[in-house]
Amino acid sequence: MTRNRLATYLPTIAVAVTVLLAWELLVVAFDIQQFLLPKPSAIFAEFTFQLGLWLAPDERSILFESSGATFWEAIGGFVIGCGGGVLVALITSRWTIISEATMPFAIAANSVPIIAFAPIMNNWFGITNPASKMAIVAIIVFFPTMINTVRGLTLVDARQLELMRSYAAAPAEVLLKLRIPNALPYIFSALRVASALSLIGAVVAEFFGGPRATLGVYITQEASAFDFAKAWTAIMMASIIGIAFYLAVLFLERRLMPWHVSFREE
């Protein structure tokens, strides 16, 4: 099992190490200025410095404080948007006419550049209020979650559905014992996508303004000051948080769906 996992992740690790080494060598070879593209070693040095500040009892790291604020904005919007998407899907899938009537609007709304709503949300909730960023994240993740959940709830095996009806199963029993288990892979597929979208939405929404201690504002200000080592460090922090968030959703999926064929084959 360990060897199989190592063989699976080894190519990814090799590609990452190769890219970082090539990046470092190209910056040195072509004498690229730090304000254009800092070396990975400079980014890592800034990260370790900020980590030291964070671990020191009397110091404060603005980078880690910003990461925490952005993380909670992403989590809040993720919970609101995905929870609302699942709830609306349960309602619309119960009545086919409602599902057929609302699905085209959901697909059309999902194609709108949601980030255009950022100034509106800042005006509604206040530019420094985390709720404005949570609202943007919630809108971004709502429609993928809703659409996937509706598909999972409705695309059930007709033979299984007919079997439950032959036993006079109540609609609630059909929902709990057939439709929801069938929808779980679809829901978690949407949640994995939403985990990445939520952090992207939170950071980009902060580009339109917010407290200093948020990653989007931090990146914007450091880039404006041509301190790109700090800006890239914040980007690296956003990537680490996004990967951790994705892995947390994947872990939850494995715990709740150990019966799924994709996990049994491992």
Side-chain angles (χ1 to χ4, degrees):
M1 183 67 70
T2 303
R3 289 183 178 180
N4 291 337
R5 290 190 175 184
L6 182 62
T8 301
Y9 296 120
L10 188 59
T12 303
I13 297 172
V15 169
V17 172
T18 302
V19 169
L20 291 175
L21 287 175
W23 181 353
E24 183 85 18
L25 293 174
L26 287 174
V27 170
V28 174
F30 290 98
D31 194 24
I32 300 175
Q33 298 300 313
Q34 291 291 298
F35 68 88
L36 292 176
L37 183 65
K39 295 182 292 185
S41 58
I43 298 171
F44 182 73
E46 177 62 31
F47 177 79
T48 54
F49 173 74
Q50 294 288 341
L51 180 61
L53 290 180
W54 180 56
L55 295 175
D58 298 327
E59 299 288 346
R60 185 172 66 93
S61 171
I62 186 66
L63 174 64
F64 282 86
E65 184 180 349
S66 301
S67 301
T70 301
F71 172 72
W72 286 115
E73 290 172 355
I75 284 288
F78 177 86
V79 172
I80 295 170
C82 293
V86 172
L87 180 61
V88 172
L90 288 171
I91 296 172
T92 56
S93 64
R94 177 63 180 83
W95 294 278
T96 305
I97 188 171
I98 297 179
S99 178
E100 293 177 350
T102 57
M103 191 59 66
F105 293 101
I107 296 173
N110 193 39
S111 64
V112 174
I114 302 299
I115 203 61
F117 289 120
I120 299 174
M121 297 302 164
N122 286 338
N123 185 52
W124 284 3
F125 298 100
I127 195 169
T128 60
N129 191 340
S132 61
K133 281 65 179 178
M134 290 182 185
I136 292 295
V137 173
I139 294 172
I140 291 174
V141 303
F142 174 84
F143 292 107
T145 305
M146 174 197 165
I147 292 170
N148 265 32
T149 305
V150 168
R151 287 174 178 170
L153 291 171
T154 55
L155 296 179
V156 297
D157 192 324
R159 293 170 299 179
Q160 295 177 342
L161 186 60
E162 186 64 28
L163 177 63
M164 294 201 71
R165 286 174 176 170
S166 68
Y167 283 102
E173 290 181 304
V174 175
L175 177 65
L176 294 175
K177 297 180 180 180
L178 177 60
R179 294 190 183 276
I180 289 181
N182 185 75
L184 282 178
Y186 293 86
I187 294 173
F188 276 104
S189 177
L191 293 182
R192 291 198 302 270
V193 174
S195 65
L197 289 178
S198 61
L199 194 69
I200 294 172
V203 172
V204 176
E206 290 164 356
F207 289 162
F208 291 85
R212 163 64 171 157
T214 53
L215 282 179
V217 175
Y218 183 89
I219 293 170
T220 303
Q221 293 184 351
E222 298 302 334
S224 299
F226 293 96
D227 195 342
F228 285 95
K230 289 184 177 179
W232 276 93
T233 304
I235 294 171
M236 184 176 73
M237 279 297 302
S239 299
I240 292 172
I241 295 172
I243 293 171
F245 198 0
Y246 179 90
L247 292 177
V249 173
L250 186 61
F251 174 78
L252 183 63
E253 180 181 10
R254 289 172 179 267
R255 298 294 292 179
L256 294 179
M257 292 192 345
W259 44 265
H260 196 258
V261 63
S262 61
F263 300 139
R264 293 203 308 267
E265 292 175 350
E266 292 183 355

